[in-house]
Amino acid sequence: MSCHKNVYITTPIYYVNDIAHIGHAYTTIIADTLARYSRMSGLDTFFLTGTDEHGQKIEESAKAKGKSTQAYADEISATFKNLWDDFHISYDKFIRTTDKDHKIGVQKAFSVMHDNGDIYKDVYKGHYCISCETFFPKTQLVDDEFCPECGKSTVIVEEESYFFKLSKYQDKLLEWYHNNPDCILPKSKRNEVIRFVESGLDDLSITRTSFDWGVKLPENFNDPKHVMYVWLDALMNYVTALGYGTDEKNMRYWPARIHLIGKDILRFHAIYWPAFLMSLGLPLPKHIAAHGWWTRDGEKMSKSKGNAVNPREVANAYGLDNFRYFLLREVPFGGDGDFSQKALIDRINSDLGNDLGNLLNRLIGMSEKYFEGNVDCINVNKFYRAELDEVEASIEKLEPMLFEMQIHRYLEELWRPLSVANKAIDRYQPWTLMKEGKEEEVMALNGLIAVILAKVATMLYPIMPEISAKIAGALHFQISHASWNHLIKEKNMLDPFKLEKIPPLFPRIEEPLLAQSEPGNKKPETKTAKKEEQKNTGVALIGIDQFFQASLKVGTVIEAEEVPKSSKLLLLQVDIGEENPRQVVAGIKEWYSAEDILGTQVCMVANLKPAKLMGLKSEGMLLAAKDSEGLSLIRPEKPKTAGTPIG
Ligand code: MSP
């Protein structure tokens, strides 16, 4: 890696239609790990993350929540930024596609591509999946209608559109894949891309007229009804963040050393993005690395199942660094991974507690007992050369593994020195050596363990920054470029020091710390598991994201009448700030007459699927509380504008 002076690392920019889950945290933590290592090794590093805020999907999500699109995007974007800040993610820039500079950059790119003869206007007709923001040819649809990626229904879109001449770049792309065997990682994924491109590329529709939440075309196109296709807009973030089209001083970081992405968005990054860059005359990224998919307790995570793993909850319960370690150690990069509390607990108790934490405890114990906490590495080479060589051989292998996205192997290899140290204690038995009066050998053994811990802590720092800093603190040094140089590059020892006693780093975890899933329970979302959970906690716990799936609104009852032949139902028309009032059939007649409720305010669930009661359509449900004394509607304490969201 030393041949690249500038290192630019990116995550995908996340859609603001939902809060972050484990998949987002995974990508971001890998990128953070690479950025931290890169900085520690002295390279000029720029790490970018952010949010992807345009497009029909976001517009619709905002509408469903009764919010303005910008306000909604601001809110969710902030939840991502706050999470990364709380997770101490070391990003250099958090970009939002609603940033002015970004929009200017995208418009500039559009003009440049157009001037280079790569954009033309035509009519598009095709099947569009709003959820994936992607067109699919009919041949790829499931049952002629459903999206092959997410399974949702597609819509037929016919509209005037600008097209990008993607087909023109087919051969150049193939040439790039062939000449750069590791441009796509893992390498197996490259073959998939090559096969796809070889099967032929159609030109790409890159503007839309059916909605307007997006970047407009440059003014000189005089075509205000068009907005840019969200993927053109989004991909451009990787260069607009460096100032493309505005203040270009950070463009020196381009091309990206690595774009980290999930496997589902490989096509956009490995085909569209390099083609756009070729059209813009910009160099292509060095690597596009696609990771696999996380499931939970063996099941796909989804909004509807409400089983997404909330990274904040996991980190709060188990410790941020432990969570980071688990994510990076558990699955080979590119493969799919399963999150379960059992697997996480096993990693913490075994790898972290037994192998790493205990080694530090053993060192603290021995140096206290025999040397009042003093440690000296002076004779390590004399007595333990073989062990030290083994350790250095492992450490040397590490760095390339990181940037080849072999992080699980990096961690596996990093654990070898720990096992060398643990075995050395068992083999040389310091307590026997002490009895034999071989103090010098015991001090050297302690020195060996200390230097191993110091090297491991340094190389573990990118993955577990806080824990590593604590270990380094106990060993009286600070992790920095200088200590990396000293301990790793130049393979030096530690200067003599007095060991700091610190509390155990990984107290043993005996049982799951989160209510949602139990160890060994493969399907926490089954009815039995749900019941178990309710038994334990008194109530089924949901995440804030699940709560926000319900759209709750204040409404004003503008018409009320009795439903003929029904002793329970009233038929209401409720104004919730939409063009037409909602019709609600409410089972409240025993407690409220039509006159009672007319003109009053109610709180209502506004995104329930419509139902029919006594043959009448009901498009919402009123919130009410019922106890032995009867039913009472829940109303705002003070009058609120009809349609005001609750939450
Ligand atoms: N906005 C686009 C990316 C534009 S980049 C120019 C997008 N956003 S996303 O929020 O839907 O997804 C962001 C990332 O999360 C993707 O890399 C995706 O692969 C990843 N994941 C989404 N669900 C995931 C899992 N269950 N597991 C692992 N990663 C997952 O796509």
Side-chain angles (χ1 to χ4, degrees):
M1 30 185 292
S2 45
C3 52
H4 308 277
K5 232 170 76 239
N6 295 329
V7 175
Y8 181 33
I9 296 161
T10 68
T11 73
I13 44 172
Y14 303 113
Y15 284 134
V16 290
N17 61 337
D18 205 355
I19 62 165
H21 61 58
I22 190 173
H24 304 122
Y26 181 54
T27 330
T28 309
I29 288 169
I30 299 175
D32 184 59
T33 296
L34 299 182
R36 282 174 186 269
Y37 188 87
S38 170
R39 284 189 207 104
M40 179 169 78
S41 67
L43 298 172
D44 187 2
T45 306
F46 196 95
F47 167 18
L48 173 72
T49 189
T51 42
D52 187 355
E53 305 184 12
H54 288 132
Q56 202 166 352
K57 181 160 59 171
I58 312 293
E59 201 177 63
E60 288 185 359
S61 298
K63 213 180 267 169
K65 293 269 168 15
K67 294 181 177 164
S68 85
T69 319
Q70 186 64 58
Y72 175 71
D74 288 348
E75 197 179 292
I76 308 276
S77 176
T79 67
F80 275 95
K81 189 161 182 299
N82 292 340
L83 179 68
W84 304 149
D85 288 341
D86 293 345
F87 273 20
H88 310 299
I89 297 297
S90 64
Y91 61 82
D92 294 286
K93 184 173 167 85
F94 185 97
I95 192 172
R96 301 183 54 186
T97 52
T98 48
D99 290 343
K100 193 165 163 238
D101 284 0
H102 170 75
K103 293 190 216 169
I104 295 172
V106 176
Q107 288 178 332
K108 173 173 168 190
F110 195 90
S111 297
V112 174
M113 290 174 177
H114 182 264
D115 293 349
N116 288 342
D118 285 340
I119 290 179
Y120 63 93
K121 199 168 172 180
D122 205 341
V123 172
Y124 191 87
K125 184 162 187 239
H127 299 264
Y128 193 67
C129 172
I130 297 172
S131 182
C132 296
E133 299 281 15
T134 314
F135 278 104
F136 290 98
K138 196 156 184 229
T139 49
Q140 278 188 27
L141 299 182
V142 177
D143 293 341
D144 289 343
E145 179 187 344
F146 300 103
C147 171
E149 296 283 337
C150 71
K152 292 195 183 131
S153 183
T154 55
V155 288
I156 294 183
V157 172
E158 181 168 3
E159 58 185 40
E160 182 188 277
S161 175
Y162 286 83
F163 284 80
F164 173 73
K165 285 189 186 164
L166 187 62
S167 56
K168 172 177 152 186
Y169 289 97
Q170 181 165 338
D171 292 341
K172 282 193 189 147
L173 285 167
L174 289 170
E175 205 179 298
W176 181 56
Y177 309 136
H178 287 301
N179 294 341
N180 297 277
D182 56 1
C183 60
I184 297 166
L185 296 171
K187 286 182 186 163
S188 54
K189 293 264 191 274
R190 177 172 146 262
N191 301 332
E192 280 172 33
V193 172
I194 292 179
R195 273 197 301 277
F196 188 91
V197 174
E198 278 174 348
S199 74
L201 293 177
D202 292 334
D203 288 349
L204 185 68
S205 158
I206 50 163
T207 67
R208 297 278 178 277
T209 54
S210 51
F211 65 100
D212 66 3
W213 181 242
V215 181
K216 303 266 181 281
L217 301 202
E219 268 185 18
N220 57 337
F221 280 77
N222 274 330
D223 223 346
K225 63 179 187 296
H226 286 264
V227 295
M228 307 248 190
Y229 173 42
V230 63
W231 271 101
L232 170 63
D233 167 0
L235 287 161
M236 283 305 300
N237 94 90
Y238 299 130
V239 290
T240 60
L242 300 178
Y244 178 83
T246 50
D247 174 1
E248 304 215 338
K249 72 172 184 304
N250 279 334
M251 280 300 283
R252 68 193 160 89
Y253 287 102
W254 189 257
R257 177 69 195 271
I258 197 153
H259 289 311
L260 272 160
I261 57 166
K263 62 180 180 182
D264 55 318
I265 54 174
L266 180 60
R267 182 157 41 117
F268 303 99
H269 284 79
I271 302 174
Y272 299 174
W273 180 226
F276 293 156
L277 287 166
M278 287 174 186
S279 173
L280 294 172
L282 289 172
L284 305 192
K286 295 277 172 249
H287 306 289
I288 297 162
H291 65 67
W293 212 245
W294 281 91
T295 51
R296 178 188 192 144
D297 298 292
E299 283 192 47
K300 196 169 173 206
M301 292 185 296
S302 75
K303 240 186 183 181
S304 51
K305 279 193 217 149
N307 65 340
V309 179
N310 181 326
R312 191 189 284 280
E313 278 173 16
V314 178
N316 285 347
Y318 288 94
L320 175 59
D321 277 17
N322 296 348
F323 181 44
R324 287 173 67 109
Y325 174 81
F326 169 81
L327 290 175
L328 271 51
R329 177 66 186 83
E330 190 69 6
V331 279
F333 186 87
D336 293 337
D338 186 50
F339 175 87
S340 71
Q341 294 197 72
K342 182 177 181 319
L344 174 58
I345 293 169
D346 283 351
R347 288 277 173 209
I348 297 174
N349 286 344
S350 159
D351 301 9
L352 296 175
N354 291 349
D355 302 342
L356 175 60
N358 277 353
L359 184 63
L360 181 63
N361 292 344
R362 288 173 104 176
L363 177 66
I364 293 176
M366 289 192 302
S367 61
E368 277 292 311
K369 190 164 173 195
Y370 305 133
F371 308 108
E372 292 167 341
N374 291 309
V375 180
D376 196 330
C377 295
I378 188 158
N379 286 318
V380 175
N381 257 319
K382 181 168 155 197
F383 294 106
Y384 304 107
R385 184 71 249 171
E387 282 79 5
L388 208 54
D389 285 347
E390 211 181 322
V391 168
E392 292 301 354
S394 282
I395 304 264
E396 254 176 39
K397 289 188 201 153
L398 295 174
E399 187 178 286
M401 287 182 187
L402 204 59
F403 279 84
E404 281 161 16
M405 302 312 302
Q406 300 283 325
I407 307 183
H408 71 292
R409 283 190 50 216
Y410 176 103
L411 285 168
E412 216 173 42
E413 193 66 44
L414 186 56
W415 251 240
R416 276 187 224 283
L418 297 177
S419 127
V420 169
N422 278 313
K423 278 193 196 136
I425 303 176
D426 299 340
R427 176 165 170 211
Y428 298 109
Q429 305 193 334
W431 48 94
T432 319
L433 293 175
M434 281 308 278
K435 271 191 212 142
E436 293 166 0
K438 295 179 178 163
E439 269 194 30
E440 214 187 24
E441 276 177 51
V442 178
M443 181 55 104
L445 184 63
N446 283 0
L448 172 74
I449 297 163
V451 83
I452 289 178
L453 279 168
K455 288 175 198 259
V456 169
T458 305
M459 293 305 269
L460 187 59
Y461 160 81
I463 294 125
M464 302 184 75
E466 261 175 65
I467 292 284
S468 303
K470 281 188 187 163
I471 299 175
L475 303 174
H476 265 263
F477 77 102
Q478 268 186 354
I479 297 173
S480 63
H481 174 56
S483 69
W484 175 85
N485 225 13
H486 183 75
L487 288 162
I488 306 297
K489 253 273 95 138
E490 293 168 0
K491 305 181 179 168
N492 286 320
M493 296 285 168
L494 291 166
D495 291 335
F497 66 94
K498 194 167 164 103
L499 200 75
E500 202 77 46
K501 270 213 269 186
I502 57 169
L505 294 171
F506 309 102
R508 206 175 162 74
I509 301 171
E510 300 296 349
E511 52 186 44
L513 303 173
L514 288 172
Q516 295 99 313
S517 109
E518 260 114 80
N521 184 349
K522 283 263 181 313
K523 292 202 167 86
E525 293 308 308
T526 58
K527 284 207 176 94
T528 10
K530 271 252 155 71
K531 272 198 198 127
E532 252 325 286
E533 183 185 305
Q534 284 172 359
K535 219 166 53 194
N536 289 343
T537 60
V539 63
L541 295 180
I542 59 165
I544 189 82
D545 45 339
Q546 280 167 280
F547 174 73
F548 277 119
Q549 281 172 18
S551 166
L552 302 177
K553 289 189 176 173
V554 174
T556 306
V557 181
I558 53 172
E559 278 178 48
E561 58 186 289
E562 295 186 0
V563 173
K565 292 198 207 124
S566 166
S567 57
K568 294 198 171 123
L569 301 177
L570 289 183
L571 180 64
L572 312 174
Q573 302 298 328
V574 184
D575 174 8
I576 56 163
E578 295 172 344
E579 206 175 322
N580 296 313
R582 292 283 187 101
Q583 172 160 298
V584 177
V585 183
I588 56 172
K589 194 171 148 192
E590 280 176 75
W591 301 280
Y592 293 88
S593 69
E595 292 86 320
D596 283 339
I597 196 167
L598 185 66
T600 67
Q601 288 209 300
V602 289
C603 295
M604 159 168 154
V605 186
N607 61 342
L608 275 185
K609 283 192 190 131
K612 271 204 170 163
L613 293 166
M614 302 276 288
L616 296 163
K617 191 174 180 193
S618 183
E619 304 165 293
M621 188 181 90
L622 304 190
L623 297 187
K626 190 172 152 198
D627 61 11
S628 57
E629 293 186 30
L631 175 142
S632 160
L633 286 166
I634 310 290
R635 306 176 188 276
E637 193 190 6
K638 292 182 190 148
K640 287 279 144 206
T641 316
T644 304
I646 303 169

